[in-house]
Amino acid sequence: MISLKNVSKKFSTKQGTIVAVDDVNLDIKKGEIFGIIGYSGAGKSTMIRLLNGLEKPTSGQIIVNNKEITSINEEKLRQVRQKVSMIFQHFNLLWSRTVAENISFPLEIAGISKVERFARVKELLELVGLDGRGDYYPSQLSGGQKQRVGIARALANRPEVLLCDEATSALDPETTDSILDLLVSINEKLGLTIVLITHEMQVIQKICNRVAVMENGLVVEEGDVLEVFQNPQQAITKRFVSQVSETNQAKQTIQNLGELYPNGKLIKLVFVGDQTEQPILSRLIKQFDLEVNIVQGNISHTKSGAYGTLILQLDGDAKAIDEGIRFIHEQKVNTEVINND
């Protein structure tokens, strides 16, 4: 659906040349929810403007739905943009227009008849959960409702790609979850390809199939969300994963484990997918006659499956402990010995 080949974007300033996107290669599949995550200045906002043709790359190729948008003329680019819609952090609604008129606006521009516009707006209001609010003005809506209007408006012309630029950053956690659930529903019902720009790993965790991590204009890591959670490679990726996989209390506990649990062995287990549902601990206790103390645990759910960490204190015969750890390895659970007593 979307392919970037050696794409770079440079800006000339009085202070010199800024490389916002640096030789990026990405392939985004049709119908998936793809996340691009990075901190401020990483280049992700420039990236999303490249995807809809608002910015031209300095070098490289961008292909959207089999059309290379880096070399086509303005007329053909406008045709491509009709199938690539966007929602924004601050909604960008027309405050003097009603909800229905906001949603209808792109249909008016496209020359759609009034009867067709009315029917499409009604359909979209139901889709985004705003049925009965067509005559409201944006000032009468909550933040989440405003974003639902933005989503409905973006869907008016039946796009094939939806770009989301920090679409939940201005919302509280509960509202964020409801908007993310709506995006998943739209993705499943319409088969829409969604590209989501964010600095929040919780957003990636909840709805994305795959993720690219950006830093200083570079894509430093990419993969299935579950795999990235399981085995982050780069320091920045580990920071993002720790946002949802470890609490501050857990980090402090890990730092002081030697003092808190001086006996036996402390081990850290990483469970992925179906492993989180296996009765490994009960089998460990029964088969090896060990005392097993759960020191700390956490399970995070991604769109592709669950990811969990568990820290255990194993106490008992030294040989039985070693056999128990070997048993856990055989269950294909990543295991790290934190201390050796």
Side-chain angles (χ1 to χ4, degrees):
M1 171 56 74
I2 300 173
S3 181
L4 285 76
K5 299 180 179 179
N6 304 112
V7 171
S8 293
K9 178 62 180 181
K10 300 177 182 178
F11 295 98
S12 296
T13 70
K14 292 180 179 179
Q15 289 74 35
T17 300
I18 296 175
V19 182
V21 175
D22 191 358
D23 197 32
V24 167
N25 291 277
L26 278 181
D27 287 298
I28 299 171
K29 302 171 186 175
K30 182 177 176 61
E32 76 172 333
I33 303 179
F34 189 93
I36 299 175
I37 189 169
Y39 293 113
S40 295
K44 58 189 188 300
S45 292
T46 301
M47 176 81 80
I48 205 168
R49 290 174 62 84
L50 289 168
L51 295 182
N52 62 9
L54 290 176
E55 294 282 358
K56 291 282 189 181
T58 306
S59 60
Q61 293 181 316
I62 301 174
I63 299 168
V64 178
N65 201 16
N66 298 319
K67 294 182 177 64
E68 186 186 344
I69 67 171
T70 45
S71 60
I72 60 178
N73 59 36
E74 283 298 319
E75 182 180 350
K76 289 184 178 178
L77 182 58
R78 282 194 295 271
Q79 293 173 2
V80 172
R81 282 184 185 147
Q82 289 179 358
K83 295 299 180 182
V84 181
S85 286
M86 192 164 175
I87 58 174
F88 307 88
Q89 178 180 358
H90 296 296
F91 321 126
N92 287 13
L93 301 180
L94 301 170
W95 299 97
S96 62
R97 288 185 170 230
T98 65
V99 167
E101 289 169 344
N102 266 278
I103 298 170
S104 179
F105 186 61
L107 299 172
E108 293 177 40
I109 295 174
I112 305 300
S113 72
K114 188 174 182 180
V115 172
E116 290 178 285
R117 293 201 307 266
F118 179 83
R120 180 62 175 155
V121 169
K122 185 176 185 299
E123 176 186 347
L124 288 168
L125 285 170
E126 292 176 358
L127 179 66
V128 301
L130 290 177
D131 196 22
R133 289 184 170 83
D135 293 331
Y136 284 41
Y137 284 88
S139 61
Q140 297 174 288
L141 303 178
S142 67
Q145 290 170 332
K146 290 172 188 172
Q147 193 57 281
R148 287 172 185 267
V149 177
I151 293 170
R153 181 183 59 185
L155 297 176
N157 278 320
R158 305 182 191 276
E160 296 173 356
V161 178
L162 180 63
L163 305 178
C164 306
D165 188 8
E166 298 279 10
T168 60
S169 294
L171 305 175
D172 62 74
E174 185 175 348
T175 306
T176 291
D177 282 345
S178 70
I179 294 298
L180 295 178
D181 288 339
L182 175 60
L183 290 175
V184 171
S185 175
I186 289 169
N187 168 257
E188 293 172 349
K189 289 178 180 177
L190 306 181
L192 197 65
T193 302
I194 297 177
V195 182
L196 193 148
I197 301 291
T198 185
H199 64 275
E200 299 172 298
M201 198 62 176
Q202 292 89 339
V203 172
I204 299 293
Q205 170 201 355
K206 185 173 176 64
I207 71 168
C208 293
N209 304 104
R210 292 190 300 133
V211 62
V213 182
M214 289 194 71
E215 185 177 29
N216 297 325
L218 296 164
V219 171
V220 296
E221 193 159 350
E222 178 196 353
D224 291 342
V225 170
L226 193 58
E227 292 177 2
V228 170
F229 264 74
Q230 178 186 5
N231 191 27
Q233 298 296 308
Q234 302 297 321
I236 187 171
T237 311
K238 292 175 183 178
R239 285 173 63 191
F240 279 125
V241 169
S242 71
Q243 289 180 2
V244 291
S245 64
E246 294 180 9
T247 64
N248 289 332
Q249 182 180 1
K251 292 175 186 176
Q252 187 65 36
T253 299
I254 291 172
Q255 292 172 4
N256 298 292
L257 284 177
E259 297 177 8
L260 295 171
Y261 299 91
N263 300 320
K265 279 189 179 179
L266 287 168
I267 61 173
K268 179 180 179 180
L269 311 182
V270 178
F271 298 85
V272 179
D274 293 341
Q275 294 171 345
T276 58
E277 301 175 5
Q278 301 301 314
I280 292 174
L281 294 191
S282 62
R283 292 170 62 187
L284 183 67
I285 295 168
K286 291 177 181 177
Q287 289 182 218
F288 301 96
D289 192 27
L290 294 172
E291 290 186 13
V292 179
N293 181 31
I294 297 176
V295 175
Q296 175 235 316
N298 181 67
I299 292 181
S300 300
H301 293 277
T302 74
K303 200 166 188 289
S304 304
Y307 162 88
T309 59
L310 196 63
I311 295 179
L312 304 178
Q313 179 193 37
L314 304 183
D315 205 359
D317 179 75
K319 183 178 179 182
I321 291 175
D322 290 339
E323 290 176 349
I325 294 173
R326 190 158 47 246
F327 162 76
I328 297 171
H329 274 300
E330 291 170 354
Q331 311 311 306
K332 298 182 179 179
V333 175
N334 289 343
T335 309
E336 175 189 352
V337 177
I338 296 175
N339 78 333
N340 286 281
D341 183 56

